[in-house]
Amino acid sequence: MQKLTLFERFSRTFRESPSFSKMLIVLTIGGGGLVAYSEAQSYGVPITTKTSESNKKKKVVVLGTGWAATSFLKNLKDPSYDVQVISPRNYFAFTPLLPSVTCGTVESRSVVEPVRNIIRQKNVDMHYLEAECYKIDAENKKVHCRSNSNNNLNGEEEFVVDYDYLVISVGARSNTFNIPGVSENCHFLKEVEDAQKIRRTVIDCFERASLPNLSDEERKRILHFVIVGGGPTGVEFAAQLHDFVNEDVARLYPGVKDLVKITLLEATDHILSMFDKRITAFAEEKFQRNGIQLKTGSMVVGVSDKELSTKQAKSGEKDAMPYGMVVWSTGIGTRPVIMDFMKQIGQASRRVLATDEWLRVEGSDNIYALGDCATINQRKIMEDVSEIFRKADKDNSGTLTVKKFQEVSNDVCERYPQFKLYLKNHKMHTLGDLLKESKRDAVNESTEVNIEEFKSALTQVDSKMKFLPATAQVASQQGVYLAKCFNRMEQCEANPEGPLRIRGEGRHRFRPFRYKHLGQFAPLGGEQTAAQLPGDWVSIGHSSQWLWYSVYASKQVSWRTRMHVISDWTRRFIFGRDSSRI
Amino acid sequence: MQKLTLFERFSRTFRESPSFSKMLIVLTIGGGGLVAYSEAQSYGVPITTKTSESNKKKKVVVLGTGWAATSFLKNLKDPSYDVQVISPRNYFAFTPLLPSVTCGTVESRSVVEPVRNIIRQKNVDMHYLEAECYKIDAENKKVHCRSNSNNNLNGEEEFVVDYDYLVISVGARSNTFNIPGVSENCHFLKEVEDAQKIRRTVIDCFERASLPNLSDEERKRILHFVIVGGGPTGVEFAAQLHDFVNEDVARLYPGVKDLVKITLLEATDHILSMFDKRITAFAEEKFQRNGIQLKTGSMVVGVSDKELSTKQAKSGEKDAMPYGMVVWSTGIGTRPVIMDFMKQIGQASRRVLATDEWLRVEGSDNIYALGDCATINQRKIMEDVSEIFRKADKDNSGTLTVKKFQEVSNDVCERYPQFKLYLKNHKMHTLGDLLKESKRDAVNESTEVNIEEFKSALTQVDSKMKFLPATAQVASQQGVYLAKCFNRMEQCEANPEGPLRIRGEGRHRFRPFRYKHLGQFAPLGGEQTAAQLPGDWVSIGHSSQWLWYSVYASKQVSWRTRMHVISDWTRRFIFGRDSSRI
C-alpha cells in the first residue's frame, strides 16, 4: 500500500476539489490551525531504521509512558542508544487535565498523545512495545513482560527483554490503605479510563435520579457525590462537578438539580494543605459559599455499595453516609512489580523505592527510577560529617577554618542541598555564620574548629529535608535531567562535572538532580483558580484561571493535543458540556 | 446553586480577563464558531414546566432515540401532547459516520448529541427516561421499562408508563443468522460503543503484531482484518481501514505495515448490490487495485476464536481463514421486545413488524412504528380491485370508462403508489394507456371496460412493489411525517386530507407516508466517494467526496456536532488519526 506524505495528501485534495470546498476547509482551520500545520509537516519525514548498527548500541529499556518516561524520551538525543519503551498504555496522558475530563470540560482524547508519535520523529532508535512489565530481573539484566490485552493471542503473550540500562517510570497506583470496600465501590482518578468511567457514572446518577417511582430520599442518595481526599485532585474534581451542576445540569435535568449534594471528606484539618494558608482559606470559604459540604478531620473506615462509614479523627464519633458515587483520591501506593523488585535489591523494608540523588536505584547498577514510583533518598549531611571534615581538612591538622572549608563549600552545597537551604532559610551565607550560631562567640575566617564542634554546628541542617511531591512537574524534570545525563554519558565519564565524592576519590560524573518548583495551580471552579508561584507569590481568581489556561495550553505535549484542548474549552464556553453517556 | 445563562457566563469571563486572554479565545473560535454561538444563544431560554396542565394532555410515549424518534421529536410542535421519551441510550447518534469512528477519522463524541438537548428547546412538554422498554402491553396501553445501568439501585429499577399514543422506534439488532460463533467472536457496527470497540481492537491488533517472539505467520493472522457483508457499511469500513493503514500505520507501525491484509466477504455475486452497476464495478475495481481482497459468493458457516469457516455458494467448496478481527455487517434482525409485541397483536408469523401506509402498526390502535424496527405493508392494488371498481363506477353501471376512472385516479395513485410508479416506469399516463396495453386495441376516453377487463389490466401493477431500505433517510422522513400528522391531528380529524377510503366511507385523515429518495453515498476511501443521486445520476470520485463532506456536515443534528465533525476532519488532514488505545 502506497504511502502519501501529508503534503501530497493535502495538495491532492486541493487539486481535485471544487473551489467551494476549499473555502470550507480554509474557514475551519481558522485561528492557529495553519501554524499547527507548519509544525506538523515534519510528520512526513521517512523513518530510517538502523537495525544493522543497533547490535553495538547500548540497550536502554524504559518502563512506562507517563510524565517521567515521556520527557526522558523526548530529550534523549544521543543516537548511540537503542531504546525499547514498554508500557501497557500506548499513549501519554496529560494527567493534570483528568479532573476536567470527568465532567466533559475537556474530552478524553484531547489529553492523550500516542507514544509512537512522540518517539517517531527522533534520530534515536526507539521502539515501543504494548505490554506490562511484571518482573524486573536485576541480576540477569532482563525484564519480563506480558501483553495485556487478551483477544485471541493465547500462549504467546509473555516475552523477555534484555537491557544495559533500565529506566523505571511506571508510576504509582491509588492507595486504598486497605480500607474495606474501597477498591470495589469507589472510583479513582489516575488514568484516562478512570476519568471516562467517572463521567459516565455522573451522567448515570442524573439519569437514574430522573426516573419515576423513586422516593425523594433515594433520589437524594443517588445525587450525593462524595470525594475522599482534599488534595489538589479531589478539590479540582469537586469544583468541576459543582460547575457542571451549576452550568449544565440546571438546563438538562431541571427536575433533580436541587437534590444534588457534594461532600468533600478530608482526614486532616484542612484541604489543600500543601498550599499556602491563604489559598486553603479561600478554597474552604468558596466551597462553603458554593454549597459544597466540607468535612475535615473525617476518616473513612469502610465503604459498602450504598453507604460510606466515617469516623471523626478527634472525637472518634462514627457516622454513616448514603452516597451515589464516591471518588477516592487520597494518595498513591507502590505497584506490585516495584514491591517485588525492592525485595530483590534489599529495599524490602522501605515503603517506596529509593534512588540516590542521580536517580539511580540504590543497591543496583544501571537502573534508574523516576516519577511517582520512586523517591530520592537524599544523603544526610550528618551521615558523612566525618568524611566532609576529612576532605576539607587537606593538611590533616585535625582542625578546620572557615577559609579551609570555603574550598569544598560549593561541592558540599551541591551534594547536600539541605545545607544550602538551611543557610538560606536562616539568612546565613557561610559555614562561619553557622559556627557563630553554634559556638555563640566571635568567629572569623581563621577560627579553628575541631570535628566535634563541626558536627554540633551541622546537627540541625538535615532537619528541613523534604521528599519531593509526587507531581507531574517533578517527574517531568527528572525525565529531562536523566536524558541529559544519558546524552553526555561518555563526555562526563572523561570529564566529570559533578561535586567531589565525599566518601570516595575524584568527582561524581554528573551534578545531582535538582528540582525547580515552578508553581502549582488549584482550580476552584467558577472560572477561578488559585496559583502558588515561586517566591510564595499567591494569586487567586479569574486572572489565575486565564494563567492556568495559558500554562496548560502551552505545556501540551503536541500541537494536536493543544488544538484539541483549546477547542474543547471554546466549545464548552459556547455549547456547555456534553451529557451523552458514552 | 445559581444558574448562569450562556451570555452571562461569556460576558463575565470577558469582563474579568486581561486582554491577552481575550485574544486567545477570539483566535480559537475562528471560522464558524461565532455563527454557531449566535445560534446556540437560544440555550439560555428558561424552561417552563407545565405539570398542572399536563394531566389533560394526550400522553405520547416514544421508544428510542435514533433517527426516527429524533426527527419525530424535533418536528413535533403541538403543545397539546405530553411526551415521554424512553431509551437506554441518552443520546442521538449520527450513524452514517460510525464507519469513520472505527478508525479515528471522526471522534465518537462528535457524532452524538444528548437527547435532552434536542427536547429541551421545545414548547412541547417532553421528558426523557433512560431505560429500556422490555414489554409493550398494547391491551392496557402501558409499556414496562427497566433501567439499564446497574450501579447500586437494586430493586427499584422497573417501572410502567401509560400512553395514549405509542411511537415505537427502537431500531433493529445485528443479524447473526444463528451462525455459530458470530455473536461471541465478531464485532458489529450498529452503535457508537461498537465503533469504539472496533477502534480499540484495530489498534490492539497493530500493537500485538509489533511484539517480539511472534512468528511471521502469527503476525499475519493478527493483521488479517475480515469484513463480512458487502453492503455500504461493510464497504465503508473496509475503505476506512485501508486509508488508516495507508496513511497512518505506515508512519506509526512501519515494521508490520506490509503484513496487513483486508478481506471483504460477500454472499452474493457483487458488493454494493443496492447501488447502480457502475458504482459496484468501480468499487470492486478500486478495492482490487488497493489490495483489498474481495471474496464474493462466499458464505460464512462458522467463526471460532481464530478462524473463520467459509463455503462457496456455487461450488460448495469449504475453506478456513485465520483472522485477527472480524466485523460482521450483514443485515438487521428484529429485537426481542418487538417479537414479543408481534405475538400479542397477531403478527407472530411475520418476520418484521408491519405497519400500514400511515405508519400505524397493523392490528393495534394508536401505536405507530417507524425506522428499522418496522416495514410498511403497502396494500396490493389487486386486493382491493373490486372495491376500486365499485368506487369509480359511481352510477353502478357495471362498466367503467377512462373518463369515469379519472375522477378517482388521484386517490388511487395516492393510496396505491405502485400504480403511479408502474405507469411512470412504462411511460404511461392514464388508465387508458394501461387498458390499451392489456386490450391491444384502440381505447378512447369512453371505451367501456367491465371488472374482469379492469382486473386483467392491473395484474402486473403490484409486481414492482419494494420494501423501503433500512436507512437513516427513511427513518428520518418517517419521523418528520408522523410529527406533522400529530401536529395536525385535530385539524385533519375535522377536514380529512387523505385519499378516498376504498373499503370504507369518506376520506383518510392524512395522506399516506411517501418516501422521497434523496440519493445515497458509498465512500470508497482515498478521498473518493460514489454518489447515486435521484434520477439515476451517478457520480464517483473526489468531487463526490466533497459533496459527501458538505451533505454530512449540513445534516448534523446540532451546531455542536457540526463543529466537532468539521474540526475532526480538519485535524485528520493536518495530524493524521490518533492511535491511542482508549
Side-chain angles (χ1 to χ4, degrees):
Chain A
M1 298 176 186
Q2 146 216 26
K3 186 184 174 300
L4 290 174
T5 66
L6 186 85
F7 181 73
E8 282 169 339
R9 215 195 288 169
F10 231 101
S11 57
R12 191 187 55 183
T13 314
F14 269 81
R15 266 200 316 279
E16 310 270 351
S17 66
S19 56
F20 76 87
S21 352
K22 283 182 202 167
M23 267 176 58
L24 181 73
I25 195 164
V26 169
L27 268 172
T28 342
I29 290 173
L34 285 168
V35 182
Y37 170 61
S38 66
E39 166 129 327
Q41 263 195 307
S42 54
Y43 275 41
V45 177
I47 301 137
T48 50
T49 45
K50 305 164 194 166
T51 34
S52 60
E53 292 173 34
S54 56
N55 295 335
K56 305 161 215 157
K57 293 183 172 183
K58 289 272 188 190
K59 282 181 245 163
V60 180
V61 168
V62 178
L63 303 180
T65 46
W67 279 96
T70 309
S71 71
F72 174 76
L73 295 170
K74 283 187 92 165
N75 289 281
L76 190 65
K77 301 259 156 65
D78 185 345
S80 71
Y81 297 107
D82 178 41
V83 183
Q84 303 262 22
V85 186
I86 301 172
S87 168
R89 216 177 67 181
N90 81 349
Y91 54 85
F92 162 77
F94 193 88
T95 45
L97 281 176
L98 285 187
S100 299
V101 173
T102 55
C103 294
T105 312
V106 162
E107 291 306 331
S108 51
R109 211 165 272 279
S110 309
V111 303
V112 302
E113 179 71 18
V115 68
R116 288 180 185 273
N117 273 353
I118 295 169
I119 64 177
R120 199 169 42 85
Q121 291 158 282
K122 315 261 318 178
N123 62 344
V124 186
D125 266 358
M126 290 190 181
H127 303 280
Y128 167 74
L129 301 175
E130 191 186 82
E132 188 164 2
C133 168
Y134 66 93
K135 189 173 172 57
I136 297 164
D137 180 355
E139 204 175 320
N140 300 304
K141 294 192 164 190
K142 284 177 198 308
V143 289
H144 294 255
C145 306
R146 185 185 290 140
S147 166
N148 66 324
S149 58
N150 53 0
N151 55 335
N152 54 25
L153 203 133
N154 317 325
E156 293 167 291
E157 39 180 24
E158 302 199 349
F159 58 91
V160 177
V161 179
D162 297 328
Y163 65 79
D164 294 312
Y165 298 106
L166 179 65
V167 178
I168 306 176
S169 44
V170 295
R173 55 173 186 79
S174 294
N175 201 343
T176 63
F177 302 102
N178 291 323
I179 296 168
V182 172
S183 55
E184 296 88 344
N185 300 304
C186 296
H187 287 265
F188 301 98
L189 190 42
K190 279 208 66 69
E191 303 288 341
V192 177
E193 279 91 348
D194 296 338
Q196 290 177 313
K197 232 169 100 188
I198 289 177
R199 181 170 184 183
R200 272 195 298 272
T201 309
V202 169
I203 298 294
D204 231 27
C205 288
F206 282 102
E207 291 294 356
R208 296 181 71 89
S210 308
L211 292 181
N213 295 359
L214 290 181
S215 67
D216 252 21
E217 193 191 3
E218 184 68 2
R219 274 184 230 279
K220 276 184 186 163
R221 177 183 76 74
I222 296 171
L223 293 177
H224 186 200
F225 299 94
V226 182
I227 296 116
V228 184
T233 308
V235 165
E236 190 178 348
F237 172 66
Q240 283 280 348
L241 190 61
H242 174 263
D243 279 1
F244 177 60
V245 172
N246 204 25
E247 294 165 10
D248 300 274
V249 167
R251 62 178 172 90
L252 293 170
Y253 304 86
V256 299
K257 189 208 136 199
D258 296 328
L259 305 175
V260 178
K261 192 167 123 188
I262 303 173
T263 303
L264 182 62
L265 297 178
E266 164 60 41
T268 66
D269 286 344
H270 289 287
I271 60 168
L272 296 177
S273 50
M274 65 294 293
F275 280 87
D276 190 280
K277 278 191 184 116
R278 286 167 286 176
I279 291 179
T280 300
F282 180 87
E284 288 178 351
E285 196 264 329
K286 181 175 191 303
F287 274 19
Q288 236 119 37
R289 204 171 55 230
N290 286 346
I292 298 175
Q293 205 187 1
L294 218 69
K295 287 206 169 183
T296 53
S298 183
M299 294 185 312
V300 175
V301 291
V303 186
S304 78
D305 62 339
K306 294 187 183 183
E307 259 187 13
L308 194 107
S309 312
T310 60
K311 192 174 133 183
Q312 280 303 112
K314 279 172 192 158
S315 61
E317 196 185 321
K318 288 195 176 186
D319 198 11
M321 196 182 271
Y323 71 86
M325 181 174 106
V326 181
V327 172
W328 189 267
S329 160
T330 54
I332 56 172
T334 308
R335 287 191 187 274
V337 61
I338 300 295
M339 304 258 245
D340 175 78
F341 174 58
M342 285 162 73
K343 274 180 208 155
Q344 282 178 51
I345 56 165
Q347 290 199 18
S349 61
R350 294 187 54 95
R351 241 169 31 87
V352 189
L353 182 63
T355 70
D356 65 16
E357 298 84 340
W358 291 265
L359 309 182
R360 280 178 311 207
V361 173
E362 285 186 353
S364 66
D365 277 342
N366 294 332
I367 302 186
Y368 298 81
L370 22 165
D372 290 2
C373 68
T375 52
I376 297 172
N377 198 11
Q378 173 61 49
R379 186 88 66 83
K380 292 204 175 76
I381 204 163
M382 289 307 285
E383 284 176 30
D384 293 347
V385 69
S386 318
E387 284 84 355
I388 296 169
F389 191 87
R390 212 162 26 238
K391 282 271 169 185
D393 181 22
K394 280 190 184 161
D395 54 3
N396 280 323
S397 66
T399 57
L400 211 56
T401 62
V402 173
K403 202 177 170 195
K404 268 162 88 179
F405 184 77
Q406 207 62 43
E407 282 173 43
V408 296
S409 168
N410 279 343
D411 290 301
V412 170
C413 283
E414 191 151 32
R415 185 71 187 83
Y416 310 92
Q418 65 269 42
F419 180 66
K420 199 171 175 183
L421 196 72
Y422 186 86
L423 292 183
K424 194 182 155 201
N425 283 347
H426 292 74
K427 300 202 168 48
M428 300 175 184
H429 297 285
T430 63
L431 179 71
D433 302 330
L434 204 60
L435 291 171
K436 214 180 284 175
E437 176 121 327
S438 141
K439 294 186 74 174
R440 309 233 173 256
D441 54 12
V443 174
N444 62 33
E445 280 218 333
S446 50
T447 311
E448 296 199 335
V449 289
N450 62 22
I451 183 145
E452 290 312 317
E453 288 165 329
F454 185 67
K455 272 187 190 172
S456 80
L458 294 176
T459 317
Q460 291 304 313
V461 170
D462 289 324
S463 67
K464 290 287 176 189
M465 268 168 56
K466 263 188 188 172
F467 288 115
L468 294 176
T471 63
Q473 210 177 140
V474 171
S476 168
Q477 290 184 20
Q478 289 181 337
V480 175
Y481 166 81
L482 193 65
K484 285 187 177 163
C485 292
F486 270 66
N487 290 339
R488 291 171 306 126
M489 192 79 89
E490 271 182 45
Q491 184 186 329
C492 291
E493 203 76 66
N495 304 304
E497 57 176 35
L500 270 180
R501 287 180 196 271
I502 298 295
R503 291 187 178 180
E505 289 307 310
R507 307 187 79 84
H508 289 279
R509 270 187 306 182
F510 306 108
R511 294 208 171 82
F513 170 72
R514 190 77 73 251
Y515 172 60
K516 194 169 173 222
H517 187 63
L518 300 172
Q520 203 176 355
F521 289 106
L524 301 173
E527 297 296 317
Q528 291 192 309
T529 286
Q532 182 166 359
L533 300 168
D536 278 337
W537 192 66
V538 166
S539 156
I540 306 173
H542 297 293
S543 53
S544 309
Q545 178 74 26
W546 284 99
L547 183 65
W548 183 89
Y549 281 131
S550 312
V551 170
Y552 276 32
S554 69
K555 288 284 176 199
Q556 290 300 315
V557 75
S558 74
W559 267 104
R560 197 188 63 80
T561 57
R562 192 167 297 132
M563 270 186 74
H564 266 289
V565 163
I566 294 176
S567 71
D568 284 349
W569 288 332
T570 314
R571 283 192 287 225
R572 203 266 298 169
F573 267 103
I574 302 176
F575 300 107
R577 295 168 183 86
D578 180 15
S579 66
S580 307
R581 189 167 150 268
I582 59 168
Chain B
M1 298 176 187
Q2 149 215 25
K3 185 183 172 303
L4 290 173
T5 66
L6 185 85
F7 182 73
E8 282 169 339
R9 213 196 291 169
F10 231 100
S11 56
R12 190 186 59 181
T13 315
F14 270 80
R15 267 201 314 279
E16 312 270 351
S17 65
S19 57
F20 75 88
S21 352
K22 283 183 203 168
M23 267 176 57
L24 181 72
I25 196 166
V26 169
L27 267 173
T28 342
I29 290 173
L34 285 168
V35 182
Y37 170 61
S38 64
E39 166 127 327
Q41 261 195 307
S42 55
Y43 275 42
V45 176
I47 301 136
T48 50
T49 44
K50 306 164 192 166
T51 33
S52 58
E53 291 173 35
S54 56
N55 296 336
K56 304 162 216 158
K57 292 184 173 185
K58 289 273 188 190
K59 281 182 242 163
V60 180
V61 168
V62 178
L63 303 180
T65 46
W67 279 96
T70 309
S71 71
F72 173 77
L73 295 170
K74 283 188 90 165
N75 288 281
L76 191 66
K77 303 256 155 69
D78 184 346
S80 71
Y81 297 106
D82 178 40
V83 184
Q84 303 262 22
V85 186
I86 301 172
S87 167
R89 216 177 67 182
N90 82 347
Y91 54 85
F92 162 77
F94 192 88
T95 45
L97 282 176
L98 284 188
S100 298
V101 173
T102 56
C103 295
T105 311
V106 162
E107 291 306 329
S108 50
R109 212 165 270 278
S110 309
V111 303
V112 302
E113 180 71 20
V115 67
R116 290 181 183 272
N117 272 353
I118 295 170
I119 63 177
R120 198 170 43 86
Q121 291 157 283
K122 315 264 316 180
N123 62 344
V124 186
D125 266 359
M126 291 190 181
H127 302 281
Y128 168 74
L129 301 175
E130 191 186 81
E132 188 164 2
C133 168
Y134 67 93
K135 192 175 171 56
I136 297 165
D137 181 355
E139 205 175 321
N140 301 305
K141 292 192 165 190
K142 283 177 197 308
V143 289
H144 294 256
C145 305
R146 185 186 291 140
S147 167
N148 66 326
S149 59
N150 52 0
N151 54 336
N152 54 24
L153 202 132
N154 315 327
E156 292 168 291
E157 39 179 27
E158 301 200 352
F159 58 92
V160 177
V161 179
D162 296 329
Y163 64 80
D164 295 312
Y165 298 104
L166 178 65
V167 178
I168 305 176
S169 45
V170 294
R173 55 172 186 79
S174 293
N175 202 342
T176 64
F177 302 102
N178 291 322
I179 296 168
V182 172
S183 55
E184 297 87 345
N185 300 304
C186 296
H187 288 265
F188 301 98
L189 190 41
K190 279 207 67 71
E191 303 287 342
V192 178
E193 280 91 348
D194 296 337
Q196 290 177 312
K197 232 169 99 188
I198 290 177
R199 182 171 184 181
R200 272 195 297 272
T201 309
V202 169
I203 298 294
D204 230 28
C205 288
F206 283 102
E207 291 294 358
R208 296 180 71 89
S210 308
L211 293 180
N213 295 358
L214 290 181
S215 66
D216 253 21
E217 194 191 3
E218 184 68 2
R219 275 183 230 279
K220 277 184 185 164
R221 178 184 75 73
I222 297 171
L223 294 177
H224 186 201
F225 300 94
V226 182
I227 296 116
V228 184
T233 309
V235 166
E236 190 179 348
F237 172 65
Q240 283 281 349
L241 190 61
H242 174 263
D243 280 0
F244 178 60
V245 172
N246 205 24
E247 295 165 11
D248 301 274
V249 166
R251 62 180 171 89
L252 293 171
Y253 304 87
V256 299
K257 187 208 136 201
D258 296 328
L259 304 175
V260 178
K261 192 167 120 187
I262 302 173
T263 302
L264 182 62
L265 296 179
E266 164 59 41
T268 66
D269 286 344
H270 289 287
I271 60 169
L272 297 178
S273 50
M274 64 294 294
F275 280 88
D276 190 281
K277 281 196 182 108
R278 285 167 287 176
I279 291 179
T280 300
F282 181 87
E284 289 179 350
E285 197 264 330
K286 182 176 189 303
F287 274 20
Q288 235 118 37
R289 206 172 53 230
N290 285 347
I292 298 175
Q293 205 187 359
L294 218 70
K295 286 206 170 183
T296 53
S298 184
M299 296 184 312
V300 175
V301 291
V303 185
S304 78
D305 63 340
K306 293 187 184 183
E307 259 187 11
L308 194 107
S309 311
T310 60
K311 193 173 130 184
Q312 280 303 111
K314 280 171 192 159
S315 61
E317 196 185 320
K318 289 195 175 184
D319 198 11
M321 197 183 269
Y323 72 85
M325 180 173 108
V326 181
V327 172
W328 190 267
S329 159
T330 55
I332 56 172
T334 308
R335 288 190 187 274
V337 60
I338 300 295
M339 303 259 247
D340 175 77
F341 174 59
M342 285 163 72
K343 275 181 207 152
Q344 283 178 52
I345 56 166
Q347 290 198 16
S349 61
R350 294 188 54 96
R351 241 168 33 87
V352 189
L353 182 64
T355 70
D356 65 15
E357 299 85 340
W358 290 266
L359 308 182
R360 282 178 309 206
V361 173
E362 286 186 352
S364 65
D365 279 342
N366 295 333
I367 302 186
Y368 299 81
L370 20 165
D372 290 1
C373 69
T375 52
I376 297 173
N377 198 10
Q378 173 61 48
R379 186 89 66 84
K380 292 205 175 72
I381 203 163
M382 289 307 284
E383 282 176 30
D384 293 348
V385 70
S386 317
E387 282 85 354
I388 296 170
F389 191 87
R390 215 165 20 241
K391 281 272 169 185
D393 181 21
K394 279 192 183 156
D395 53 4
N396 279 324
S397 65
T399 58
L400 210 58
T401 62
V402 173
K403 203 178 169 194
K404 267 162 89 179
F405 184 78
Q406 207 62 47
E407 283 175 39
V408 297
S409 169
N410 279 343
D411 291 301
V412 169
C413 283
E414 193 152 31
R415 183 71 185 80
Y416 310 93
Q418 65 266 42
F419 180 65
K420 199 171 175 182
L421 195 71
Y422 186 85
L423 294 182
K424 194 181 155 202
N425 283 348
H426 293 74
K427 302 204 166 45
M428 301 174 184
H429 297 286
T430 63
L431 178 70
D433 301 329
L434 203 60
L435 290 171
K436 214 180 284 176
E437 175 120 331
S438 142
K439 293 185 76 176
R440 311 236 171 251
D441 54 12
V443 174
N444 62 33
E445 280 215 332
S446 50
T447 308
E448 295 197 333
V449 287
N450 61 23
I451 184 148
E452 290 311 316
E453 287 165 330
F454 185 66
K455 271 187 190 172
S456 82
L458 295 175
T459 318
Q460 291 304 310
V461 170
D462 289 324
S463 67
K464 289 288 175 187
M465 270 168 54
K466 264 188 187 170
F467 288 116
L468 294 176
T471 62
Q473 210 177 137
V474 171
S476 167
Q477 290 184 20
Q478 289 182 337
V480 176
Y481 166 82
L482 194 65
K484 285 187 177 163
C485 292
F486 270 66
N487 290 339
R488 292 171 303 127
M489 192 80 89
E490 271 182 44
Q491 183 186 329
C492 291
E493 203 77 67
N495 303 304
E497 57 175 34
L500 269 180
R501 285 182 198 270
I502 298 296
R503 291 188 178 180
E505 289 307 309
R507 307 187 78 85
H508 288 279
R509 271 187 305 183
F510 306 108
R511 293 209 172 83
F513 170 71
R514 189 76 73 251
Y515 171 59
K516 196 170 168 218
H517 186 64
L518 300 173
Q520 203 176 354
F521 288 105
L524 301 172
E527 297 297 317
Q528 291 192 308
T529 286
Q532 183 167 359
L533 300 168
D536 278 337
W537 192 66
V538 166
S539 157
I540 306 174
H542 297 293
S543 53
S544 309
Q545 178 74 27
W546 284 100
L547 184 65
W548 181 89
Y549 281 131
S550 313
V551 170
Y552 278 31
S554 69
K555 288 283 175 197
Q556 290 300 316
V557 74
S558 73
W559 267 105
R560 196 188 62 81
T561 59
R562 192 167 296 133
M563 270 185 73
H564 266 288
V565 164
I566 294 176
S567 71
D568 284 350
W569 287 332
T570 314
R571 283 192 287 225
R572 203 265 300 168
F573 268 103
I574 302 176
F575 301 107
R577 296 169 183 84
D578 180 14
S579 67
S580 306
R581 190 167 149 268
I582 58 167

